[in-house]
Amino acid sequence: MSKYQRIVILSGAGLSAESGLATFRDTDGIWKQYDYRDVATPEGFQRNPHLVYEFYNARRKSATQAHPNEAHRALAQLEKSYPGEVLIVTQNVDNLHEQAGSSNLIHMHGDMQTMVCTNCDAVLPWTKDLSDDLTCPECELTGGLRPHVVWFGEMPFEMNRIADALSKCDLFVSIGTSGNVYPAAGFVAAAKHVGAHTVELNLEPSCGASHFCECHHGRATEIVPAFVQHLVSGQPFEQCQAA
Ligand code: OAD
């Protein structure tokens, strides 16, 4: 029998970094270029919708051109081959997990390939640019479309399902996230509370590194496949990393 039956994996921008998508808080990060209050809050959208549309249109374009990397692929393989349950909760708004083949997935911060109509609440797939002169295909009103992403001050999606999974997990793995943003930054504490083993896989120690039972630091494309192999084979992580 496998050591863990219910695995919850939290992923962040560091997982997609080697696919060419910028992180937020690294030296070349998105929040070094933009003030999050201007582009990732409801107030910013009200003040200057054009800037917000431009910001997400550019990010959607980069994400559409990006491909999943070895780390995304290893996690998809884990879901397919692991005898226990594997749930990925991602803070990323790209769709590289899906492209790699993961299906048990929650986009807690939404998804740039979807838009929501603020007039009728319709949520629809959307891969083109968004602007304020577009008409909602459901209610036919113009001007109410926005990216279906969670902004600061808004509630992340599917929190009940995430809380339920955390309350039952026996392994929690956090990958490529700096641990700055709650509620995701608090998931490690929730998992520890129910006795789960907790692991951080990140380029460098995150803000919450001291809360994890086990930490491995390095590039996601190296340490994630090694950790997946360690889970599947039962071999020590170091041996899998050297392989
Ligand atoms: P951050 O930019 O805060 O953190 C990314 C983390 O990934 C950092 O700790 C990096 O060291 C690490 N990293 C960078 N390159 C890596 C690599 N190749 N391999 C492994 N790790 C690497 O991004 P998040 O923690 O995802 O929210 O940010 C969380 C939320 O803050 C985002 O979802 C977004 C942002 O504001 C909203 O916009 C609401």
Side-chain angles (χ1 to χ4, degrees):
M1 187 151 111
S2 305
K3 192 166 173 193
Y4 303 108
Q5 303 309 304
R6 288 169 186 265
I7 303 175
V8 175
I9 294 167
L10 171 69
S11 69
L15 187 70
S16 295
E18 291 165 78
S19 292
L21 300 182
T23 61
F24 293 94
R25 295 174 181 81
D26 290 305
T27 43
D28 53 352
I30 293 171
W31 296 154
K32 297 283 187 292
Q33 268 180 281
Y34 289 89
D35 186 326
Y36 78 90
R37 287 166 291 206
D38 291 335
V39 293
T41 61
E43 296 78 13
F45 186 53
Q46 225 170 17
R47 258 195 324 268
N48 188 352
H50 295 284
L51 179 69
V52 178
Y53 285 129
E54 202 179 271
F55 175 73
Y56 282 99
N57 288 344
R59 287 185 61 206
R60 188 184 304 101
K61 200 166 177 184
S62 312
T64 308
Q65 289 162 355
H67 300 288
N69 62 47
E70 286 306 313
H72 295 104
R73 280 196 282 273
L75 294 175
Q77 194 50 45
L78 179 69
E79 184 192 326
K80 286 199 182 73
S81 60
Y82 197 71
E85 192 189 331
V86 178
L87 171 69
I88 297 176
V89 179
T90 189
Q91 299 168 90
N92 297 344
V93 292
D94 62 55
N95 68 356
L96 298 181
H97 279 301
E98 292 93 322
Q99 276 193 50
S102 290
S103 57
N104 198 18
L105 174 69
I106 296 176
H107 271 281
M108 67 176 290
H109 287 170
D111 160 14
M112 287 188 299
Q113 317 267 349
T114 314
M115 61 92 174
V116 59
C117 173
T118 53
N119 294 307
C120 71
D121 293 336
V123 175
L124 298 166
W126 197 266
T127 50
K128 290 178 277 183
D129 282 357
L130 274 174
S131 55
D132 59 1
D133 56 358
L134 293 171
T135 300
C136 171
E138 293 285 315
C139 68
E140 300 187 345
L141 291 173
T142 298
L145 306 184
R146 60 165 268 190
H148 191 45
V149 297
V150 174
W151 286 329
F152 287 93
E154 296 180 326
M155 185 60 88
F157 299 134
E158 300 204 56
M159 283 310 295
N160 288 343
R161 197 173 146 211
I162 297 171
D164 184 56
L166 288 169
S167 74
K168 293 175 181 151
C169 75
D170 49 10
L171 175 64
F172 173 75
V173 188
S174 171
I175 306 175
T177 176
S178 62
N180 272 288
V181 175
Y182 283 80
F187 290 173
V188 59
K192 267 174 100 170
H193 184 70
V194 296
H197 184 60
T198 54
V199 180
E200 167 167 291
L201 304 176
N202 202 49
L203 192 59
E204 59 196 3
S206 73
C207 299
S210 62
H211 299 301
F212 289 85
C213 311
E214 183 182 338
C215 290
H216 301 288
H217 295 129
R219 286 153 40 133
T221 54
E222 288 166 11
I223 56 178
V224 175
F227 190 76
V228 166
Q229 195 191 333
H230 155 70
L231 280 180
V232 173
S233 69
Q235 289 174 312
F237 172 79
E238 287 69 23
Q239 258 178 40
C240 299
Q241 200 177 20

